Amino acid sequence: MKPSRFEYERPGDLAGVIALTRREDIVVKILAGGQSLGPMLNLRLVQPDVLVDITGIPELKRVEENADAIIVGACVTHADIEDGRVPDATGGALPAVARDIAYRAVRNRGTIGGSLSHADPAADWVSCLAAMGAEALIRGPSGQRAVAIDDFMTGVFEVALEPGEILEAVRIPRLSRSARWGFCKISRKTGEMAQAIGAVLHDPERSVFRAVIGATESAPIVFSDATSLFGGKTLAARRGAFDTGAAARALNAAGLTDPLDNQIHVAALKRAIDRADLA
């Protein structure tokens, strides 16, 4: 099967993109890396009137650093992060996650913004960046606004973008030297989408302790204060105190009741905690 007919536009700036996406008389789809959109077009799961290619917009490929964070443009590829073309403010966490996404051919084309905007629950960046406390920087007719990654994905393939808005960049906090990071993805085989994801960040210098259960049936389950997973204990008393029951209860509260699936998700989080040396 081949895509239905559509028109193709390649604006040179964000204003041009916003003008097209604001139109209510046509169906518009944004093209970045196309690693998810391409197959959906071929299967006619999406049938846009206009395909808007944003890969020629310089603002979407920028990378900026400051003392507190790094800002990564939406069209920066997974391979850019994996290969170190993006400065690493996370002590190796970002390149390690990027390196484990699908296959190299996908990483060469796929983008961080495209992955977030596609909002597949099993995607790596959705869970990883939520655990880091990152923000989505959204550009629209009224200017720029910031939304926590926790709130950016609102459901399966659904995000907090209003008509005329586009994900411009991601703001990722700079981790301190004492930060501990753990990430685990369980898949049937290398390169496949995750069955379960666990991620944890403890950064005592910034008073941050976050955890995420990802690859669920909807948006990730985010623990903005992960002490609830350790019985509320301080770090000094936390060794061996990971409460698998607390994680299981969070899954149940989110409407996930399959015992086997929940066990896999708890195992992924436990492995992430072990890798962060917090268990």
Side-chain angles (χ1 to χ4, degrees):
M1 186 180 293
K2 293 298 181 182
S4 57
R5 293 178 62 87
F6 55 80
E7 295 184 9
Y8 172 85
E9 298 282 352
R10 194 169 191 263
D13 54 31
L14 283 172
V17 177
I18 292 169
L20 285 166
T21 55
R22 289 185 70 183
R23 291 182 57 180
E24 298 181 354
D25 59 321
I26 55 174
V27 176
V28 175
K29 290 297 292 184
I30 301 292
L31 171 68
Q35 298 307 289
S36 298
L37 180 59
M40 293 176 75
L41 288 169
N42 282 340
L43 293 171
R44 299 196 178 188
L45 296 175
V46 293
Q47 299 185 42
D49 298 307
V50 179
L51 194 65
V52 179
D53 185 341
I54 60 173
T55 57
I57 300 175
E59 298 99 309
L60 300 182
K61 296 181 179 179
R62 80 185 194 281
V63 177
E64 299 175 359
E65 287 188 276
N66 56 46
D68 301 320
I70 181 170
I71 296 174
V72 180
C75 282
V76 169
T77 67
H78 314 314
D80 288 333
I81 298 171
E82 175 185 4
D83 295 345
R85 289 188 290 275
V86 174
D88 180 25
T90 64
L94 284 179
V97 172
R99 192 177 304 120
D100 202 32
I101 295 174
Y103 303 97
R104 180 65 193 203
V106 171
R107 299 195 294 273
N108 286 340
R109 297 284 300 177
T111 64
I112 188 170
S115 177
L116 289 171
S117 298
H118 184 55
D120 188 325
D124 301 54
W125 288 129
V126 171
S127 294
C128 161
L129 294 173
M132 290 184 179
E135 292 181 315
L137 303 182
I138 297 169
R139 179 72 63 177
S142 301
Q144 189 186 80
R145 64 186 180 99
V147 175
I149 293 296
D150 307 22
D151 302 319
F152 181 69
M153 180 179 173
T154 57
V156 180
F157 306 129
E158 296 180 348
V159 294
L161 290 175
E162 301 295 335
E165 289 187 329
I166 182 174
L167 177 61
E168 180 181 5
V170 183
R171 182 186 181 276
I172 304 169
R174 185 179 295 277
L175 306 189
S176 70
R177 292 187 178 182
S178 62
R180 298 179 182 180
W181 165 259
F183 184 81
C184 174
K185 176 171 67 174
I186 296 177
S187 306
R188 293 185 183 275
K189 65 179 183 179
T190 301
E192 285 194 348
M193 299 297 280
Q195 287 181 276
I197 288 175
V200 63
L201 169 67
H202 184 251
D203 194 344
E205 291 183 30
R206 298 190 300 120
S207 300
V208 171
F209 189 24
R210 297 172 63 87
V212 168
I213 298 175
T216 64
E217 295 176 0
S218 187
I221 299 170
V222 179
F223 301 84
S224 57
D225 180 4
T227 56
S228 62
L229 295 171
F230 294 82
K233 296 182 178 180
T234 63
L235 181 60
R238 199 173 288 153
R239 297 290 178 181
F242 172 57
D243 184 358
T244 58
R249 288 190 293 274
L251 286 160
N252 288 330
L256 305 172
T257 58
D258 184 276
L260 179 58
D261 282 349
N262 287 3
Q263 185 175 353
I264 294 171
H265 280 91
V266 172
L269 181 57
K270 176 64 167 62
R271 291 179 188 178
I273 290 169
D274 289 343
R275 290 171 185 178
D277 194 25
L278 293 173

